Amino acid sequence: MHIRQPETSVEVQTPAKVNLSLEVIRKRADGYHEIETVITAVTIYDTLIFIPQVEEEIKLECRWACGAAARADRNSGIPAGPQNLVWRAVALVREEAGLKRGAAMLLVKRIPAAAGLGGASSDAAAALVAAHEAWQLGWPRQRLVELAARLGSDVPFFLTRGAAVCRGRGEKIEPFAPPRIHAVIARPPVGLSTPEVYSACRPAGATGEAAKLVADLSRGNTAAAAGRLNNGLQDAAARLTPWIKRLQQEFERQDVVGHQMSGSGSSYFGICRTARHARRLAARLRACNMGAVFAATTAVGHWNE
Ligand code: C5P
């Protein structure tokens, strides 16, 4: 996440993520699933512009960036009111701070929706940070992390520098130094709903693979890390849309270091050897109509560094 504060506004660039590993351990009594997942931020960014207002209203305008490949399916409208986590994040900060202030916000989307790339969660984290900075609240980081967890399981991750093992329902964060990985990410024309994918999945218990994956990444051994990619939601997602199998078969034909679905899908990514390799593969996948295709790198950055 990167922040600029030109005059009275706050502008946040907030990244997408991919899950290098995602184990679904068990279903919990509260309806969530206990997971262990290794996440890295990647260089596809949404932009949030936050302008503090004296009036109490929270105004949010959302639009896709010009020519955004993210608009892969034409039905993917972005909600602009309280249904949007950005709006709820700002309302939550305002309530916690006991302020009677409002905001005018513009959210420019590039991260595809219903994709397992954390777009809505990333936007919510950006909104928390923007409101916190614009209203000069000076809270400890942990206070924002707690608010983030209330908004959604993936939101606290986006307050890290860009890589973490996440446990619990996803909100318990153990950061690690972001690795440098090049990837190609394809979001097919069909998206998937996170609750539907979770309810179709079969929890498989814990294996402790996440620690080994992080150790490989810390040693810079991308090939070994790629051999440990896993996603316990992929079979469930593949039962919900044929696109997952189709993408898997396409990536198997390509010369990638490793590949799998991200999060609850429907995006699928392959790890490439270099940025050039990722760009070449992205061009090839675009030519075979695989939806919105991005060449990306792991992203580093933090609002409070
Ligand atoms: O936390 P969040 O609101 O993003 O989760 C959306 C839905 O995804 C939850 O209501 C739940 O159905 C499912 N989920 C889950 N286990 C998790 C995270 C999400 O079952 N660890």
Side-chain angles (χ1 to χ4, degrees):
M1 186 182 291
H2 304 286
I3 292 218
R4 277 183 351 112
Q5 287 190 254
E7 300 182 9
T8 55
S9 67
V10 177
E11 187 181 312
V12 185
Q13 306 286 346
T14 195
K17 57 87 176 164
V18 293
N19 301 71
L20 298 177
S21 127
L22 196 168
E23 291 183 62
V24 184
I25 298 169
R26 63 179 175 84
K27 184 154 189 205
R28 308 190 329 188
D30 63 5
Y32 282 92
H33 291 76
E34 195 73 15
I35 60 170
E36 183 167 67
T37 177
V38 178
I39 309 185
T40 63
V42 289
T43 54
I44 307 168
Y45 291 96
D46 285 347
T47 305
L48 180 71
I49 298 167
F50 181 108
I51 306 169
Q53 307 281 302
V54 183
E55 309 83 62
E56 274 191 53
E57 199 184 350
I58 298 172
K59 287 180 269 184
L60 173 63
E61 185 191 332
C62 302
R63 64 168 85 124
W64 289 102
C66 277
R71 207 174 30 225
D73 69 67
R74 297 284 152 192
N75 301 325
S76 55
I78 322 153
Q83 318 90 295
N84 194 309
L85 272 188
V86 163
W87 194 100
R88 296 217 290 275
V90 173
L92 183 60
V93 172
R94 184 174 66 173
E95 187 189 318
E96 286 288 309
L99 288 174
K100 296 215 174 307
R101 304 277 307 275
M105 291 180 285
L106 172 64
L107 176 65
V108 182
K109 293 287 303 170
R110 292 177 199 83
I111 306 171
L117 298 175
S121 303
S122 185
D123 298 342
L128 285 177
V129 169
H132 175 269
E133 297 298 298
W135 291 332
Q136 302 181 347
L137 298 174
W139 290 345
R141 226 183 84 77
Q142 192 50 33
R143 189 159 177 195
L144 278 188
V145 173
E146 278 156 22
L147 296 187
R150 279 204 239 160
L151 290 163
S153 307
D154 275 353
V155 182
F157 166 77
F158 289 98
L159 299 173
T160 70
R161 283 187 70 225
V165 181
C166 304
R167 299 189 175 86
R169 60 182 169 89
E171 87 288 13
K172 293 183 186 148
I173 307 293
E174 186 188 321
F176 63 93
R180 185 147 182 85
I181 295 176
H182 303 285
V184 59
I185 301 166
R187 195 304 200 156
V190 170
L192 282 172
S193 135
T194 301
E196 276 177 34
V197 176
Y198 268 105
S199 63
C201 84
R202 297 172 191 140
T207 65
E209 272 292 294
K212 295 179 198 156
L213 176 56
V214 172
D216 289 335
L217 292 172
S218 307
R219 280 194 290 269
N221 192 343
T222 308
R228 296 190 194 280
L229 295 181
N230 66 85
N231 186 336
L233 293 173
Q234 188 163 325
D235 288 347
R239 287 194 290 275
L240 296 172
T241 170
W243 271 104
I244 305 303
K245 261 271 153 335
R246 206 174 298 170
L247 283 159
Q248 184 179 10
Q249 285 163 353
E250 191 54 48
F251 274 81
E252 265 156 20
R253 274 197 283 275
Q254 306 296 340
D255 153 43
V256 287
V257 190
H259 56 89
Q260 73 175 17
M261 187 180 84
S262 178
S264 55
S266 58
S267 293
Y268 202 96
F269 67 94
I271 295 184
C272 299
R273 288 182 300 279
T274 61
R276 188 153 171 258
H277 179 201
R279 284 196 301 272
R280 248 188 302 137
L281 179 53
R284 223 175 295 151
L285 291 174
R286 279 182 204 116
C288 9
N289 294 322
M290 288 290 152
V293 183
F294 303 81
T297 307
T298 38
V300 184
H302 188 267
W303 64 280
N304 204 14
E305 269 176 337

